[in-house]
């Protein structure tokens, strides 16, 4: 039983990271029906920025949580700038082009960013400092979950609650929902749709950056390719939950994380990806629009 | 209040408007009638900045607006009830109304105006929490008009508000438009294929064919005009 719980908590941790990144895919898709293939690269770049910043801070005598916070904030700002620029440079000029064009542009940006980091850094894995704080727990919990996992779970949960609040109740959130439901009408009520799209990319990038810092620190090493794998998994989670649906992205991430953890724990970690994609295929056969996806809206 | 001078609008290579000139004075109801594909919706989308004209000028209260982005035009006081109503389907009636007031910052005033719209359209009052997408066609049309009013516009643009509605509902909606015009002095530019109803409440009217205005006169005169009777009033 303890083993099962331990696997579940591990799966939840992993899944919460997938969810965080999946939200970026799903928010962008919801608004402009584009699969932003370069999203995983934003996550990877944020991890690199955090690595560089924490190295500089360590040399200058900073310690402990202050490094984590400063590195995370700078990584988030960088990622936001990258997300904003990405949309301006690679997608906005193609807003009225056939749908295949921005998709190709997205793949191009993904390859470009990967290779740019490859050249600027190194193809090898670089060690990532342990930024997440270590602490002791009371016993019933201590052998089920580590402090790093707990930090990840808490940070991702708080982040997602914050996002939910933002989308439900703020002016920007309402503008995002209106733009998603009917872009022309959004313009007719006075929403600056271009700005909403930019901010959606920024928001998705911020979430990816939080994920990048957490995972870098948790796994202890990063290279230029981590964004690709994380992107594939998060994209799977988004499709699993129903692309375009925000609760769907969270649910999809959790389902994917749990599936992988249980498959790895009871069968073999060599097969975790097989099970992950098996679940994806199964769910898409049963529910083609994903777990929480809506059937395509018919225009009145 | 509104003036179009020689407006030409294109969709890619297709020219939808071929030099339209018309005007709407403060306090007037002016209607634009025409057949399918004549360019009626394009005229409204050009005014609202969604389909900006390639040539010509659009003036609102004397200043050019044809180069402004759509949100700026709304903020000047031009609100549109678009073709097909375009209710935000996953938002409640209340949220739809609040979206109409997106550019306003006076929350108390917005809340008061929600109540005012609910008085104007009592069916909406009972359905405040219902999702927009689940309303009937007539209710959606009332909500679309209410949403436009939430912007506190000085000029109200409507694109075929009678489309697909039962005669009773159409009469009710047109009566409300007339009431808005008489009691609140709302200036209205109304696009219709239902020429009879539209000309009955309008002061003046224009007829558009293939992107060109062919007639312009007092509404009553147009109602009696043989060409209009033949083409739009069934004889
Ligand atoms: N998005 C678009 N892309 C290309 N052509 C368009 C587009 N919208 C309209 N058109 C064309 O422009 C012309 C005018 O269209 P418009 O929608 O203004 O007509 P309408 O008078 O409103 O017609 P209806 O009564 O059917 O609503 C039509 O020939 C139409 O095919
Ligand atoms: Mg039309």
């Amino acid at each position: 039983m303890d083993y099962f719980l331990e696997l579940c908590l591990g799966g939840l941790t992993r899944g919460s990271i997938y969810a965080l990144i999946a939200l970026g895919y799903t928010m962008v898709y919801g608004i402009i029906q584009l699969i932003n293939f370069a999203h995983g690269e934003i996550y990877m770049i944020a991890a690199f920025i955090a690595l560089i910043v924490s190295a500089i801070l360590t040399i200058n005598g900073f310690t402990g949580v202050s490094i984590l916070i400063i590195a995370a904030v700078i990584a988030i700002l960088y990622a936001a700038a990258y997300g904003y620029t990405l949309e301006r440079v690679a997608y906005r000029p193609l807003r009225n082009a056939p749908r295949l064009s921005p998709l190709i542009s997205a793949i191009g940006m993904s390859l470009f960013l990967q290779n740019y980091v490859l050249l600027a850094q190194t193809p090898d894995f670089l060690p990532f400092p342990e930024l997440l704080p270590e602490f002791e727990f009371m016993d019933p919990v201590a052998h089920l979950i580590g402090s790093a996992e707990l930090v990840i779970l808490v940070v991702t949960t708080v982040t997602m609650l914050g996002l939910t609040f933002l989308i439900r109740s703020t002016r920007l959130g309402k503008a995002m929902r209106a733009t998603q439901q009917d872009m022309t009408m959004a313009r007719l009520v006075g929403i600056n749709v271009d700005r909403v799209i930019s901010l959606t990319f920024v928001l998705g990038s911020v979430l990816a950056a939080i994920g990048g810092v957490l995972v870098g620190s948790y796994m202890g090493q990063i290279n230029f390719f981590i964004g690709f794998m994380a992107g594939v998994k998060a994209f799977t989670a988004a499709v699993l939950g129903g692309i375009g649906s925000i609760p769907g992205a969270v649910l999809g991430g959790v389902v994917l994380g749990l599936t992988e953890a249980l498959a790895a724990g009871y069968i073999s970690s060599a097969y975790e990806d097989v099970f992950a994609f098996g679940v994806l295929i199964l769910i898409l056969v049963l529910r083609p629009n994903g777990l929480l996806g809506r059937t395509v809206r018919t225009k009145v | 209040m509104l003036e179009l001078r020689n407006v030409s609008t294109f969709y890619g290579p297709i020219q939808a408007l071929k030099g339209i000139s018309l005007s709407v004075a403060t306090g007037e109801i002016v209607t634009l009638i025409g057949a399918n594909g004549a360019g009626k919706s394009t005229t409204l989308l050009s005014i609202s900045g969604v389909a900006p004209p390639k040539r010509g000028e659009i003036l609102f209260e004397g200043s050019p607006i044809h180069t402004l982005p759509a949100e700026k035009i709304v903020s000047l006081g031009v609100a549109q009830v678009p073709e097909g109503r375009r209710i935000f389907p996953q938002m409640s009636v209340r949220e739809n109304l609040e979206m109409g007031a997106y550019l306003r910052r006076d929350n108390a005033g917005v809340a008061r105006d929600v109540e005012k719209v609910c008085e104007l359209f009592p069916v909406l009052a009972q359905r405040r929490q219902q999702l927009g997408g689940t309303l009937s066609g007539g209710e959606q049309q009332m909500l679309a008009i209410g949403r436009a009013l939430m912007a506190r516009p000085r000029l109200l643009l409507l694109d075929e508000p009678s489309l697909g509605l039962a005669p009773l509902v159409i009469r009710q909606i047109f009566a409300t438009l007339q009431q808005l015009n008489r009691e609140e002095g709302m200036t209205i530019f109304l696009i219709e294929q239902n020429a009879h109803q539209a000309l009955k409440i309008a002061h003046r009217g224009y007829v558009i064919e293939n992107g060109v205005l062919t007639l312009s006169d007092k509404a009553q005169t147009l109602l009696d005009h043989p060409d209009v009777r033949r083409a739009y009033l069934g004889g």
Side-chain angles (χ1 to χ4, degrees), chain A residues 97-278:
Chain A
R99 279 187 64 176
L100 198 57
S101 311
L103 209 62
I104 291 168
S105 181
I107 294 170
M109 286 312 289
S110 169
L111 291 173
F112 169 74
L113 291 173
Q114 271 179 37
N115 285 288
Y116 157 66
V117 174
L118 169 69
L119 292 176
Q121 300 289 328
T122 145
D124 303 321
F125 272 97
L126 295 174
F128 197 97
E130 271 186 39
L131 297 178
L132 303 180
E134 290 271 353
F135 43 83
E136 302 287 319
F137 303 90
M138 279 174 288
D139 200 36
V141 194
H143 62 282
L144 295 180
I145 188 168
S147 52
E149 278 121 336
L150 193 72
V151 170
I152 291 179
L153 271 180
V154 170
V155 171
T156 51
T157 307
V158 169
T159 307
M160 287 185 236
L161 288 176
L163 180 74
T164 307
F165 171 77
L166 188 150
I167 288 177
R168 283 234 181 107
S169 311
T170 66
R171 210 170 122 81
L172 172 63
K174 287 177 185 171
M176 284 174 64
R177 282 188 289 145
T179 305
Q180 165 164 17
Q181 291 174 35
D182 189 332
M183 195 178 288
T184 300
M185 192 60 227
R187 298 178 68 190
L188 286 174
V189 296
I191 293 170
N192 182 340
V193 166
D194 282 335
R195 205 169 131 258
V196 168
I197 294 173
S198 284
L199 289 173
T200 305
F201 274 84
V202 166
L203 207 57
S205 302
V206 167
L207 299 180
I210 294 172
V213 176
L214 290 174
V215 171
S217 178
Y218 181 59
M219 304 298 277
Q221 54 174 13
I222 59 175
N223 79 347
F224 72 98
F225 202 59
I226 59 166
F228 180 78
M229 265 329 277
V232 168
K233 288 291 173 62
F235 176 62
T236 306
V239 173
L240 193 66
I243 192 138
S245 159
I246 285 174
V250 176
L251 184 66
V254 169
V255 168
L256 193 68
L258 285 175
T259 308
E260 284 185 5
L262 292 175
Y266 286 116
I267 299 159
S268 154
S269 60
Y271 285 105
E272 61 177 48
D273 289 350
V274 175
F275 277 86
F277 292 112

Side-chain angles (χ1 to χ4, degrees), chain B residues 36-37 39-42 83 159-160 191 193:
Chain B
N36 288 117
K40 303 184 297 298
S41 299
T42 306
E83 183 169 35
D159 195 342
E160 299 200 44
I191 281 179
Q193 284 197 61

Side-chain angles (χ1 to χ4, degrees), chain B residues 207-223:
Chain B
V207 175
I208 183 171
E209 279 171 34
N210 291 321
V212 181
L213 290 184
T214 52
L215 286 171
S216 148
D217 217 321
K218 291 218 169 62
Q220 188 56 49
T221 317
L222 286 179
L223 266 175

